[in-house]
Amino acid sequence: MRICIVTGLLIPAMVFAETATDNSCPTLVSAAFTTAVEEREPLAQLTTAPLSVNELLFFTAIQDGNGEQLHHIWSYNGEPIVDVPLAVSSDYWRTWSSKTFAGLDLAAGGQWQVKVSTESGCELGSWTLTLSDDGEATDSPAPAASTPSALKKTSETPPKSPPEKAKTDAVDLSENYAVIRQLLDLGDTRAVKVAIRRARELTANPEQLAELDTLAADNQAFAELDKLIRQRDVYGARELMQTLVISISPDSPVYPALQSRHQLLKRLEGSERNAVFQAASSP
């Protein structure tokens, strides 16, 4: 079984795995217990809830899972209750399942757990909520169940753009840039393209999008330089290098990788001169 763990920093190996196969695990963007979902977002992220709440929902948002089938496996005090299958129909998908308390023997201190996995075998994580005697949940009370059925499932296609609140605010992309720098050090410009695309999906801030567009152009130019060096086209590589050293900002993640290629090009030029000298000195 393949394991997909949500972490704060993606290392290059994860990007390689994603680009090397179409069967890689989707990325879990967010997951939470809640009592209501409005405009395709949970109203609260709960870790405790009172027995007076009639219904719980479990919300998930995933990236790069188009065509997958999610499973929300609900358990109470370690005993499996139900496995809810939820189809995923786009690259960015928000969906949720719900569980009513009707007809169940629940008690304060009892724990609900939801494990999230995919039909293809990816384990995306598990979450626990503890029931309390009284009090209120952290959001508005959930509506009473209209039927005695213990389970409902809902899924809805979200817009492909980020949530409205993110359209003008900059987000923290430092971890994404750290991955991009590592990939550039390895010379994997194809993986860098994937990493840039994923960074774009996290923000709609105009300045950040402009920076990522510039980075994508710099990465493409760097890929052309690498190609010329691999072909041992010293003249063409030298001409392009002179242009890139001027056009690419020293603040760009591409710039340090560009400097390493500059040293490599110098060694190639030296070997070419030595080869010519040896040929000219042959009897």
Side-chain angles (χ1 to χ4, degrees):
M1 177 177 292
R2 291 168 294 137
I3 304 297
C4 181
I5 302 175
V6 178
T7 60
L9 176 61
L10 299 176
I11 62 174
M14 294 178 65
V15 179
F16 299 151
E18 292 168 18
T19 56
T21 175
D22 293 333
N23 297 323
S24 57
C25 293
T27 299
L28 186 65
V29 178
S30 64
F33 285 96
T34 188
T35 54
V37 174
E38 288 187 4
E39 297 182 352
R40 301 179 298 276
E41 291 291 341
L43 290 187
Q45 298 186 15
L46 305 177
T47 56
T48 61
L51 286 169
S52 57
V53 172
N54 296 305
E55 182 183 51
L56 281 175
L57 286 74
F58 192 79
F59 172 92
T60 49
I62 66 168
Q63 187 76 43
D64 297 332
N66 189 16
E68 269 281 10
Q69 185 176 68
L70 281 185
H71 287 266
H72 287 185
I73 304 172
W74 288 73
S75 300
Y76 182 69
N77 287 342
E79 293 294 324
I81 302 296
V82 68
D83 181 348
V84 186
L86 298 162
V88 178
S89 300
S90 74
D91 285 338
Y92 179 65
W93 190 260
R94 288 174 281 191
T95 186
W96 54 96
S97 59
S98 66
K99 189 76 180 67
T100 67
F101 291 179
L104 298 178
D105 184 17
L106 306 179
Q111 291 188 324
W112 282 106
Q113 183 183 64
V114 173
K115 183 173 73 172
V116 182
S117 60
T118 68
E119 186 72 17
S120 61
C122 296
E123 298 286 351
L124 304 185
S126 62
W127 288 258
T128 300
L129 177 140
T130 303
L131 296 174
S132 59
D133 267 322
D134 48 47
E136 294 183 354
T138 54
D139 63 339
S140 57
S146 58
T147 68
S149 62
L151 174 69
K152 295 187 293 183
K153 67 176 182 180
T154 310
S155 112
E156 185 173 354
T157 306
K160 292 185 178 180
S161 59
E164 286 291 330
K165 63 182 180 181
K167 285 195 172 180
T168 57
D169 297 337
V171 299
D172 184 4
L173 298 177
S174 58
E175 293 176 353
N176 301 81
Y177 273 90
V179 171
I180 289 169
R181 289 188 186 94
Q182 293 178 52
L183 292 170
L184 285 166
D185 288 342
L186 295 172
D188 193 342
T189 54
R190 294 181 63 184
V192 171
K193 289 175 64 176
V194 175
I196 293 173
R197 187 182 72 239
R198 295 198 170 181
R200 288 182 60 87
E201 291 167 352
L202 297 176
T203 182
N205 179 268
E207 292 183 0
Q208 289 185 313
L209 290 175
E211 290 175 357
L212 290 169
D213 286 342
T214 300
L215 180 55
D218 291 347
N219 179 61
Q220 182 60 37
F222 181 71
E224 291 295 326
L225 177 65
D226 255 3
K227 180 180 178 181
L228 292 173
I229 291 175
R230 287 196 305 271
Q231 294 172 345
R232 301 185 71 86
D233 183 352
V234 175
Y235 177 79
R238 184 171 61 248
E239 292 291 315
L240 181 55
M241 176 68 75
Q242 291 172 352
T243 300
L244 297 184
V245 167
I246 297 173
S247 63
I248 294 180
S249 168
D251 296 330
S252 171
V254 177
Y255 196 80
L258 185 65
Q259 295 303 306
S260 69
R261 295 305 183 274
H262 191 208
Q263 298 301 319
L264 176 59
L265 185 56
K266 282 185 175 180
R267 291 197 296 271
L268 284 176
E269 289 175 331
S271 64
E272 290 288 337
R273 283 194 297 268
N274 289 338
V276 171
F277 178 77
Q278 290 172 4
S281 301
S282 298

